[in-house]
């Protein structure tokens, strides 16, 4: 039973963005790992900044550039290297909180990928 309905709130703050998901890789006969194919999806969800208080209290785990993603559909393989591209910035999905049974939403922590991590320019999403 769903106790809360956040659909109107998510709809109000939602935006389109890209999700890059790599399929499962495999090892060849010589033991070399070959990564899977990267598939790009355009999805819809609310990407919001963490409160200043939450960043401060996170003991360095969050920065002001990290974001919170809230969606009504799950991201397949989210914790297996999935990335989000939004406003020309790249984020790695660090964690997920799946409580859709009670709230109807899926929540992901997006860690900003710094310039030192080979940040690239992306399409405007």
């Amino acid at each position: 039973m769903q106790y809360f309905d956040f659909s109107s709130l998510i709809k109000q703050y939602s935006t389109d963005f890209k999700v890059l998901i790599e399929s499962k890789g495999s090892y060849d006969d010589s033991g070399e790992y070959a990564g899977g194919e990267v598939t790009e999806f355009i999805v819809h969800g609310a990407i919001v900044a963490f409160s200043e208080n939450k960043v401060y209290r996170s003991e360095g785990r969050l920065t002001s550039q990290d974001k919170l993603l809230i969606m009504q559909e799950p991201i397949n393989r989210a914790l297996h290297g999935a990335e989000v591209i939004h406003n020309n910035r790249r984020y790695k999905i660090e964690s997920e909180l799946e409580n859709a049974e009670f709230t109807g939403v899926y929540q992901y922590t997006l860690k900003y990928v710094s310039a030192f991590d080979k940040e690239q320019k992306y399409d405007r999403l």
Side-chain angles (χ1 to χ4, degrees), residues 36-90:
E37 282 189 33
V38 175
T39 306
E40 182 178 297
F41 298 94
I42 304 294
V43 294
H44 200 71
I47 297 177
V48 295
F50 286 101
S51 70
E52 192 173 306
N53 188 34
K54 178 88 170 173
V55 171
Y56 176 75
R57 293 179 50 203
S58 72
E59 298 177 357
R61 290 187 315 257
L62 296 174
T63 70
S64 61
Q65 294 181 338
D66 297 335
K67 303 289 182 198
L68 177 65
L69 167 60
I70 304 168
M71 304 175 58
Q72 292 185 285
E73 298 293 326
I75 296 175
N76 187 25
R77 296 184 54 82
L79 298 179
H80 296 275
E83 295 183 347
V84 169
I85 310 298
H86 181 252
N87 285 340
N88 216 14
R89 300 181 113 195
R90 183 168 53 131

Side-chain angles (χ1 to χ4, degrees), residues 3-63:
Y3 295 105
F4 303 100
D5 182 9
F6 292 103
S7 57
S8 61
L9 190 61
I10 292 172
K11 185 178 179 180
Q12 180 179 354
Y13 292 102
S14 283
T15 184
D16 288 335
F17 55 92
K18 291 181 187 178
V19 174
L20 307 176
I21 299 174
E22 185 175 343
S23 64
K24 193 172 184 178
S26 62
Y27 291 92
D28 64 16
D29 293 337
S30 65
E32 294 290 320
Y33 181 76
E37 282 189 33
V38 175
T39 306
E40 182 178 297
F41 298 94
I42 304 294
V43 294
H44 200 71
I47 297 177
V48 295
F50 286 101
S51 70
E52 192 173 306
N53 188 34
K54 178 88 170 173
V55 171
Y56 176 75
R57 293 179 50 203
S58 72
E59 298 177 357
R61 290 187 315 257
L62 296 174
T63 70

Side-chain angles (χ1 to χ4, degrees), residues 87-105:
N87 285 340
N88 216 14
R89 300 181 113 195
R90 183 168 53 131
Y91 302 88
K92 290 194 180 279
I93 298 177
E94 180 180 78
S95 65
E96 71 179 320
L97 174 62
E98 190 278 308
N99 57 4
E101 180 181 344
F102 302 108
T103 63
V105 300

